[in-house]
Amino acid sequence: MNAHDHIGDRPEDRDRDPAQERNQEPAQDRDRDGDRPEDRDRDPAQDRDQEPAQDRDRDGDRPEDRDQDPAQDRDQEPAQDRDRDGDPAHAPAHDHRRLGRELGLFGTDPLMGAGLPYWLPDGAVVRHALEEYVRQAERAAGYRHVYSPVLGKRELYEISGHWEHYSEDMFPPMELGAEQVVLRPSLCPHHALIYRSRSRSYRELPLRIAELGGMYRSEPSGVLGGLTRVRAIQLNDAHVFCTLEQVVDEARGALELIGRAYADLGIRPAGYRLSLPGAGGKYIADPQLWRRAGDLLRQVLREAGVAYEAVEGEAAFYGPKIDVQITDRAGREATLSTVQVDFHQPERFGLHYIGADGAKHRPVMVHRSIIGSVERAVAHLLEEHGGAFPVWLAPVQLVVLPVSQAQGERAAELVRRAEAAGLRAELAGPERGSLGARVRAARLVPYRAVIGEREARDGLAAVRLRDGRRPGALSADELVRRIGERAAARGTGLWG
């Protein structure tokens, strides 16, 4: 995988904590609990933010907010917020680092170290849902999952070629008695050892091995940023060991798997790149190997019917690759997913299979990553959707809002039903503020269910979608069923 791109803030935003801005009110206008004096004794269920009644609907929203999709509210920053090159800088609402803090998804601490983010509970929900999606997609495509250690002896990476061609990006070896061990910079050497752990027959091929595993890159401090450039990486990686005749089908199948995942995640590829070797000693010296692998990948791209750009100097040190490119909110390009053909490591590790003729044959290794690193994927999803994750990824899928305390038990019952059905639901009662304030606070949640006196009496909930649509009042069972079906279907749709 290519080095992570640095994603930057506007200078005035770099060190600002949005959780401390307090809406820019002067300190003397707030009490020590953060309320304005005039709000301290106000009944939140009655104030409706002091808006005229004709300016609010029954859910407490202003008319101008009713049909506003938070995922479409982009690039609204004034001209002075644009960067020095004239390109739109990250709007504060869509910078993944800012969103990560505001939504309580991830954070960093200097005692842990730069480039070593931790995941908070809601962020862990997103990460877990994404990882489980990938595992399910891989299982359906015939992959078998493994686990392998994040450490390896230095000798392992000398055999793979990483030590010769990639040591600048690796952490220094650790001395363990007479041995040196290294934090792994990739998973492929470990998977090669798993393949050769026993004799293989041609009948077992293609053998597809997948792992969501940790790896480590010794990135300089100056290029670290949020989740896009980190030192501890959780990689969605897989390796297909196959015959030469199976390479094109396996690589094309990997591209199709990437395409389906992008559709479900709402990711738009910026383009496809055939990454080839460049000049210098970064790459293994075997022109015939490079030519054979490059020709196979060109065939894959032709058969997939996608336009691509061939770029020298972007290959892995051991072989060419297809890179699926994405762009961030500032238009900067980065690699998210890859498909690679590798003749090098099977030879270095002495891999073989027994063919139909009873003789030993060398397999080809196809490297493949659907979403690349989990960190970069989540960062891109945050910015792409502005924090309004697809239903199946959202940390909270349904928020239930009783109009007053009198409907609290009905609302709690709906939350319990949703959770029993496997949904992520939350109760937002009057203790959190006026109904309008609670609705606005939940603007990124896919579904909001308002329960007033009438709904409580009739066993219903007034449903409001994140994009402003209102399907009407539904029974608890019907609402839970509809949300469950939408979440199970994946994709980015909300209703229907």
Side-chain angles (χ1 to χ4, degrees):
M1 179 177 298
N2 285 11
H4 298 294
D5 289 337
H6 177 59
I7 295 180
D9 293 306
R10 299 189 307 267
E12 63 271 23
D13 287 336
R14 286 178 186 159
D15 298 316
R16 183 183 299 167
D17 183 353
Q20 298 174 358
E21 290 181 356
R22 298 282 193 163
N23 298 322
Q24 303 302 315
E25 298 171 349
Q28 64 268 27
D29 290 341
R30 297 190 306 272
D31 68 14
R32 58 185 183 153
D33 294 328
D35 295 328
R36 295 185 297 268
E38 61 269 25
D39 287 340
R40 290 175 191 164
D41 300 318
R42 183 180 296 163
D43 181 356
Q46 298 175 359
D47 71 359
R48 296 286 189 135
D49 296 339
Q50 298 300 311
E51 297 169 351
Q54 64 269 27
D55 289 343
R56 299 190 307 270
D57 60 24
R58 66 181 303 274
D59 289 344
D61 292 329
R62 296 183 294 261
E64 61 268 27
D65 291 336
R66 288 177 189 163
D67 299 316
Q68 189 166 329
D69 183 352
Q72 298 174 358
D73 185 21
R74 295 172 177 164
D75 296 331
Q76 298 300 314
E77 75 272 19
Q80 64 266 28
D81 289 340
R82 296 177 183 270
D83 67 16
R84 288 178 296 176
D85 298 326
D87 296 326
H90 285 285
H94 290 266
D95 184 293
H96 86 274
R97 288 165 297 181
R98 194 181 190 94
L99 279 167
R101 292 192 298 267
E102 291 175 350
L103 301 180
L105 301 180
F106 63 90
T108 58
D109 190 291
L111 283 177
M112 290 188 190
L116 300 171
Y118 56 80
W119 296 82
L120 294 165
D122 280 352
V125 169
V126 175
R127 173 173 164 171
H128 178 77
L130 182 60
E131 291 177 347
E132 282 305 298
Y133 168 81
V134 168
R135 288 189 180 100
Q136 291 173 13
E138 289 172 337
R139 284 195 294 268
Y143 287 82
R144 303 291 302 277
H145 289 98
V146 299
Y147 291 104
S148 57
V150 298
L151 290 170
K153 291 173 65 175
R154 171 175 167 170
E155 181 184 357
L156 172 63
Y157 306 105
E158 290 174 342
I159 293 172
S160 70
H162 285 83
W163 194 256
E164 178 183 355
H165 299 280
Y166 202 75
S167 58
E168 291 181 0
D169 296 300
M170 297 171 63
F171 283 97
M174 294 173 276
E175 301 287 344
L176 289 180
E179 296 180 343
Q180 288 186 328
V181 296
V182 182
L183 285 167
R184 67 179 175 191
S186 70
L187 281 66
C188 39
H190 293 73
H191 288 188
L193 295 184
I194 290 173
Y195 175 88
R196 80 173 197 184
S197 62
R198 65 173 179 81
S199 179
R200 305 286 179 176
S201 165
Y202 72 96
R203 294 185 180 89
E204 298 178 67
L205 306 185
L207 178 65
R208 307 180 184 103
I209 295 176
E211 180 177 3
L212 275 155
M215 57 183 253
Y216 300 85
R217 300 279 173 88
S218 181
E219 298 278 16
S221 297
V223 301
L224 299 171
L227 294 178
T228 58
R229 197 82 181 251
V230 296
R231 288 170 171 159
I233 302 165
Q234 191 72 9
L235 187 68
N236 158 230
D237 206 6
H239 299 92
V240 182
F241 300 89
C242 60
T243 68
L244 180 61
E245 294 75 21
Q246 294 168 332
V247 168
V248 170
D249 285 344
E250 290 301 310
R252 187 176 62 246
L255 271 187
E256 292 169 356
L257 199 57
I258 292 168
R260 290 194 295 271
Y262 279 26
D264 286 342
L265 291 164
I267 295 175
R268 296 166 291 183
Y272 294 81
R273 185 177 73 192
L274 177 59
S275 294
L276 301 170
K282 174 183 174 182
Y283 306 98
I284 60 170
D286 191 332
Q288 183 181 0
L289 178 154
W290 288 102
R291 187 165 50 252
R292 291 174 69 196
D295 288 345
L296 288 168
L297 289 179
R298 287 186 181 91
Q299 182 180 345
V300 170
L301 288 163
R302 286 196 305 270
E303 292 185 7
V306 297
Y308 68 92
E309 178 185 12
V311 179
E312 294 185 355
E314 294 293 339
F317 74 83
Y318 50 79
K321 57 196 177 90
I322 297 171
D323 289 328
V324 185
Q325 302 297 100
I326 56 171
T327 53
D328 67 12
R329 299 291 302 148
R332 290 182 285 256
E333 190 173 289
T335 300
L336 185 63
S337 310
T338 65
V339 180
Q340 308 169 20
V341 172
D342 180 4
F343 291 100
H344 171 72
Q345 291 194 65
E347 181 176 345
R348 294 293 294 262
F349 283 101
L351 306 185
H352 67 269
Y353 64 91
I354 305 302
D357 58 1
K360 291 182 178 181
H361 299 270
R362 185 83 66 208
V364 182
M365 199 170 171
V366 177
H367 305 240
R368 182 246 67 193
S369 182
I370 300 176
I371 60 166
S373 76
V374 173
E375 290 80 10
R376 174 170 282 181
V378 171
H380 185 71
L381 289 168
L382 263 172
E383 298 197 358
E384 182 70 21
H385 299 294
F389 289 105
V391 174
W392 59 278
L393 271 179
V396 177
Q397 296 166 319
L398 168 67
V399 64
V400 184
L401 305 107
V403 172
S404 70
Q405 293 289 1
Q407 295 86 45
E409 182 51 38
R410 283 287 189 183
E413 181 183 348
L414 175 53
V415 170
R416 289 192 292 269
R417 288 193 188 189
E419 290 177 338
L423 299 179
R424 299 184 287 274
E426 182 178 283
L427 176 64
E431 70 279 358
R432 297 193 186 183
S434 69
L435 183 59
R438 286 179 279 147
V439 168
R440 288 191 290 278
R443 69 185 183 88
L444 298 179
V445 177
Y447 306 100
R448 291 167 290 197
V450 178
I451 299 180
E453 182 179 351
R454 182 180 61 197
E455 288 82 12
R457 183 188 65 236
D458 297 338
L460 302 173
V463 182
R464 168 73 183 266
L465 307 187
R466 179 173 59 198
D467 61 9
R469 286 180 290 161
R470 299 174 180 224
L474 298 176
S475 69
D477 288 343
E478 176 68 7
L479 176 59
V480 168
R481 182 186 67 80
R482 295 289 293 269
I483 297 175
E485 289 177 350
R486 184 63 263 170
R490 312 294 190 186
T492 58
L494 283 175
W495 205 252

